[in-house]
Amino acid sequence: MAGRRAGAGAGAGVRTVLALLALRALGAAAHPQCLDFRPPFRPPQPLRFCAQYSAFGCCAPEHDAALARRFRALEARVDAAIWAECAGYALDLLCQECSPYAAHLYDAEDPSTPLRTVPGLCEDYCLDLWQSCRGLFRHLSPDRELWTLEGNRAKFCRYLSLDDTDYCFPRLLANENLNSNLGRVVADAMGCLQLCLEEVANGLRNPVAMVHARDGSHRFFVAEQLGLVWVYLPDRSRLEKPFLNVSRAVLTSPWEGDERGFLGLAFHPGFRHNGKLYVYYSVGVGFHEWIRISEFRVSEDDVNAVDHASERIILEIEEPASNHNGGQLLFGDDGYLYIFTGDGGMAGDPFGKFGNAQNKSALLGKVLRIDVDRNERGPLYRVPPGNPFVGDPAARPEVYALGVRNMWRCSFDRGDPASGAGRGRLFCGDVGQSKFEEVDLVERGRNYGWRAREGFECYDRKLCANTSLDDVLPIFAYPHKLGKSVTGGYVYRGCEYPNLNGLYIFGDFMSGRLMSLRENLGTGQWRYNEICMGRGQTCAFPGLINNYYPHIISFAEDEAGELYFMSTGVPSATVASGVVYKMIDPSRRAPPGKCQIQAAHVKVRGRVIHFVPKEEFIRRTESSPRPAPPAPTKAPRRSRPTAAPLTPTLRPARPTPRPGRRRGGGRRRGRLGTAVPEPSNGAVRLVRPAGLSPGRGRVEVFAGGRWGTVCDDAWDTKGAAVVCRQLGFAYAVRATKRAEFGEGHTLPILLDDVRCTGSERNLLECAHAGLGSHNCGHEEDAGVVCSREDPNL
């Protein structure tokens, strides 16, 4: 196993065993791939020569035309009598370069083997071809070793065979498992969409935001919680000198989970001309804390540096507590600046009779909208006349929407690239209190319910029953069994991965889950699918990885609309374990050349640090059941090909599983025999359902003379590492945040809020809430995946 070091978490790549077994049954290695080591695509226009791959494959019209020229050249060299018999075979063999599985047919997916000059053939098909067309190969292939075998039928066909018979031609054309979902995002048996990642930047300290300047330069700017912003060029190199450094003014700390700091950054839509940008950060003196929105200008001498003396404070809002600080800044298509504030902190928004979020005269717990144009003289900002509460004496006119708890990461939808549908919709993830996380579609003047409501349920029942509340329900909410701190994302509108168009992708900071929503345009309902890292060989493309650090901090778009997210292994503003990942769909890409960008030239001063990726693809050995004897694929001799065109088919929609408890397999408990010694205090065991491989299971601990379960409120990979070391497994590959290994209803919950440094001898030495003290249920039992192999090797 290769990849991330122990304790960092392998991310969402390891999911339930049911899904894994189902995927194996379908052929876990099945994934399309072209000779350029990239996913196939839909050609921009029908192919004329290899027409059977016009719907989906690996050939653009230029490649198709080149194959047609090779075909005509063959015809000129081959004896007319042989050509009449073999032309169809020649066309079929040449056109396999256009097959969606070209890399498999030509052994290109394995860099340790030479590229085949002829696609891998099924044995019975080869035997038939050899009978009358073996002389064709002297003109078709430059492989002299193949020429020498021409007279030996068995050796000739063995030479052209593939080790993986599922991919030999033409059997793969009729392989329903390979072709039924060709060109679609692959989902496993649990409906988890399998995507891959590309590492873009690393060594960052809690990267809270990544934005672009809309200036055609295709630079991206990554902000760290400490108060530094770095410039990355289109080739992913980074400038040594920070773009912005307000770390001396920013209030934050090294504590894991501290919500204060540099939280937001937005470039003015006219940045190319006016050089303005806006930042959102925490400040404080003594016990007095507040949030600050400031305007800066870029330096006149260097477009990659801010003039720090240009800061003008646009707005400050007092914070009564250290959490729920909001932090998002966005410019809408209307040119106005949107500011997303938290409710002021503590639990349950306890400020005033109804809380800050329901108080229109408070700026906390709101979405604000202000006009920062033409502010060189006069007020630093103006209130847009279209704001919903202008003229209401009981409201602040800056308020655009209310009733939010702590919206963490919002985005405007760019709209469908062709029709523009959806453009301007405002999506936000609103972090919940004790039960639910939610995603909201924010609209002018609407009330999003907090603190009356959390998710779809009442939180303050008296306030929730108030008929004047008129609140808007979220488009999606999920319970704390799935995650405890939503990170809002983006609707994908990029060019490179057409299948993702319209998919809203977001995540959870605590559980490390990547999630998605897709709107049913007929009903307006949103369908949920989890996103996991591609299994088997799905992500085995050069430069791609299939794992990520679990604390998902933020999402981002680049100037071209491609989608990224930032996460870290240690959520501290002083630990440089943050990474920026680009999301990749391995099932389909745009046609070559369609998504090329022309970045405007930017003069660079100072040293440039070239990007060096550090994350690695984790290669997992997955055994597959022995395949059944293949059906014959013998093809008749013909002058023209008879293979049917490969047309992508839609997978039937699966009903979305309702989040809830999973039935656990757990082992039965019985009395210990007198010959079996009682376990020592602090002993642990992994209880796993039938069929689950060793090293994976729900964590049970022996304490106070009995076995009990461990709840996952504060569970992380450090706690998992202690368990794995106790069991004789050296490494914790991933600590799960849900009871996917079964629930321990027959046992008491003995440990909760377990916080380990990773060096303890057993879980009882870790900090915890106290033996038997907990605030969770069995649906939150902790799980562990242990490994005997160092994931770094």
Side-chain angles (χ1 to χ4, degrees), residues 88-203:
Y89 285 116
L91 188 150
D92 275 350
L93 295 177
L94 286 172
C95 284
Q96 293 321 297
E97 291 185 23
C98 299
S99 166
Y101 294 103
H104 299 273
L105 287 164
Y106 289 87
D107 276 352
E109 82 279 12
D110 185 351
S112 65
T113 60
L115 192 70
R116 288 173 174 260
T117 58
V118 177
L121 303 181
C122 301
E123 184 177 8
D124 47 1
Y125 175 87
C126 176
L127 295 175
D128 184 75
L129 183 153
W130 180 90
Q131 198 68 36
S132 55
C133 296
R134 55 185 179 273
L136 180 68
F137 288 86
R138 287 186 170 270
H139 308 284
L140 188 66
S141 167
D143 186 350
R144 293 185 176 274
E145 186 174 354
L146 179 62
W147 298 359
T148 63
L149 299 175
E150 186 180 295
N152 188 316
R153 175 173 158 174
K155 289 184 177 179
F156 180 87
C157 288
R158 195 177 305 125
Y159 187 80
L160 291 179
S161 66
L162 280 179
D163 290 338
D164 190 342
T165 56
D166 288 335
Y167 290 100
C168 65
F169 178 81
R171 182 179 299 140
L172 84 169
L173 296 178
N175 189 322
E176 195 171 321
N177 289 334
L178 293 181
N179 298 313
S180 61
N181 297 306
L182 193 58
R184 303 290 171 184
V185 180
V186 177
D188 66 17
M190 302 300 292
C192 192
L193 305 180
Q194 298 184 60
L195 298 181
C196 307
L197 301 175
E198 185 178 358
E199 185 184 0
V200 172
N202 52 41

Side-chain angles (χ1 to χ4, degrees), residues 12-93:
V14 182
R15 289 291 188 246
T16 62
V17 176
L18 283 175
L20 182 59
L21 293 176
L23 193 64
R24 285 177 178 172
L26 292 174
H31 71 290
Q33 186 174 341
C34 299
L35 289 174
D36 62 357
F37 304 102
R38 298 191 62 198
F41 51 89
R42 182 168 296 168
Q45 60 197 59
L47 305 182
R48 301 182 64 181
F49 180 67
C50 299
Q52 67 267 43
Y53 297 111
S54 286
F56 192 67
C58 291
C59 284
E62 297 79 11
H63 192 176
D64 181 62
L67 291 172
R69 290 193 294 272
R70 286 173 58 189
F71 181 80
R72 289 192 293 270
L74 267 176
E75 183 180 14
R77 291 197 303 268
V78 177
D79 181 84
I82 296 177
W83 187 250
E85 184 79 15
C86 304
Y89 285 116
L91 188 150
D92 275 350
L93 295 177

Side-chain angles (χ1 to χ4, degrees), residues 235-249:
D235 65 358
R236 299 182 183 173
S237 58
R238 193 197 82 188
L239 301 191
E240 183 180 38
K241 181 181 177 182
F243 176 71
L244 174 69
N245 185 353
V246 290
S247 56
R248 290 187 178 182

Side-chain angles (χ1 to χ4, degrees), residues 38 198 200 210-212 218 220 236 414 417 489-501 503 505 555-566 580-585 588-590 594-597:
R38 298 191 62 198
E198 185 178 358
V200 172
M210 170 181 153
V211 299
H212 60 87
H218 289 270
F220 57 90
R236 299 182 183 173
R414 290 187 179 210
Y490 282 79
V491 177
Y492 179 84
R493 299 297 189 185
C495 171
E496 295 180 11
Y497 304 105
N499 285 341
L500 302 185
N501 183 37
L503 194 69
I505 296 178
F555 286 79
E557 275 183 329
D558 65 15
E559 198 163 354
E562 300 306 322
L563 188 59
Y564 303 75
F565 72 92
M566 289 143 278
V580 180
Y581 303 96
K582 182 179 181 181
M583 303 201 75
I584 306 292
D585 174 14
R588 178 187 172 193
R589 58 169 156 152
K594 181 179 180 181
C595 303
Q596 291 179 347
I597 61 169

Side-chain angles (χ1 to χ4, degrees), residues 165-434:
T165 56
D166 288 335
Y167 290 100
C168 65
F169 178 81
R171 182 179 299 140
L172 84 169
L173 296 178
N175 189 322
E176 195 171 321
N177 289 334
L178 293 181
N179 298 313
S180 61
N181 297 306
L182 193 58
R184 303 290 171 184
V185 180
V186 177
D188 66 17
M190 302 300 292
C192 192
L193 305 180
Q194 298 184 60
L195 298 181
C196 307
L197 301 175
E198 185 178 358
E199 185 184 0
V200 172
N202 52 41
L204 293 158
R205 294 164 295 185
N206 269 13
V208 294
M210 170 181 153
V211 299
H212 60 87
R214 307 190 199 188
D215 62 353
S217 70
H218 289 270
R219 293 172 294 171
F220 57 90
F221 301 79
V222 179
E224 294 179 313
Q225 188 177 353
L226 280 172
L228 290 92
V229 179
W230 302 97
V231 181
Y232 288 81
L233 302 176
D235 65 358
R236 299 182 183 173
S237 58
R238 193 197 82 188
L239 301 191
E240 183 180 38
K241 181 181 177 182
F243 176 71
L244 174 69
N245 185 353
V246 290
S247 56
R248 290 187 178 182
V250 168
L251 174 64
T252 189
S253 75
W255 307 333
E256 292 188 17
D258 192 340
E259 299 177 21
R260 303 166 301 175
F262 189 100
L263 303 175
L265 169 68
F267 287 83
H268 192 282
F271 173 78
R272 188 199 305 251
H273 307 292
N274 62 27
K276 290 184 178 181
L277 59 139
Y278 297 83
V279 300
Y280 185 130
Y281 61 94
S282 305
V283 291
V285 176
F287 293 102
H288 182 211
E289 297 180 9
W290 62 97
I291 54 177
R292 174 181 291 169
I293 315 298
S294 285
E295 176 188 276
F296 285 89
R297 286 181 182 268
V298 74
S299 170
E300 293 182 1
D301 300 324
D302 187 354
V303 295
N304 291 309
V306 162
D307 177 2
H308 290 78
S310 69
E311 181 175 13
R312 295 199 301 165
I313 299 171
I314 300 294
L315 178 65
E316 291 188 331
I317 306 171
E318 186 175 353
E319 281 280 2
S322 295
N323 56 344
H324 303 183
N325 302 291
Q328 183 75 59
L329 292 178
L330 293 173
F331 276 96
D333 287 343
D334 52 18
Y336 298 136
L337 179 62
Y338 290 73
I339 304 168
F340 301 79
T341 65
D343 66 5
M346 299 191 190
D349 193 4
F351 309 103
K353 185 176 181 180
F354 302 114
N356 281 325
Q358 291 298 321
N359 181 0
K360 294 178 185 177
S361 67
L363 295 180
L364 292 171
K366 305 294 188 299
V367 180
L368 311 177
R369 184 172 71 164
I370 62 175
D371 183 354
V372 292
D373 282 343
R374 302 172 302 280
N375 65 352
E376 288 75 14
R377 297 179 181 177
L380 292 167
Y381 71 87
R382 295 176 176 84
V383 174
N387 274 15
F389 303 110
V390 170
D392 183 346
R396 286 290 296 260
E398 298 93 339
V399 174
Y400 180 79
L402 68 150
V404 307
R405 183 176 179 272
N406 189 35
M407 283 184 165
W408 182 248
R409 294 315 178 228
C410 303
S411 64
F412 281 107
D413 185 357
R414 290 187 179 210
D416 183 86
S419 67
R423 184 176 179 87
R425 294 184 300 179
L426 178 53
F427 291 82
C428 286
D430 198 5
V431 179
Q433 179 67 52
S434 55

Side-chain angles (χ1 to χ4, degrees), residues 435-436 438 449-461 464 471 473-474 477:
K435 290 186 177 181
F436 297 98
E438 67 183 67
W450 177 251
R451 74 180 184 205
R453 196 183 302 276
E454 180 188 11
F456 295 113
E457 295 191 1
C458 289
Y459 178 81
D460 183 328
R461 296 191 176 276
C464 190
D471 61 326
L473 294 177

Side-chain angles (χ1 to χ4, degrees), residues 667 684-688 695-699 723 727 784 786:
R667 93 177 42 145
V684 293
R685 66 187 183 189
L686 296 186
V687 175
R688 57 189 177 95
R696 304 183 181 192
R698 184 185 67 249
V699 177
V723 171
L727 294 172
V784 165
C786 296

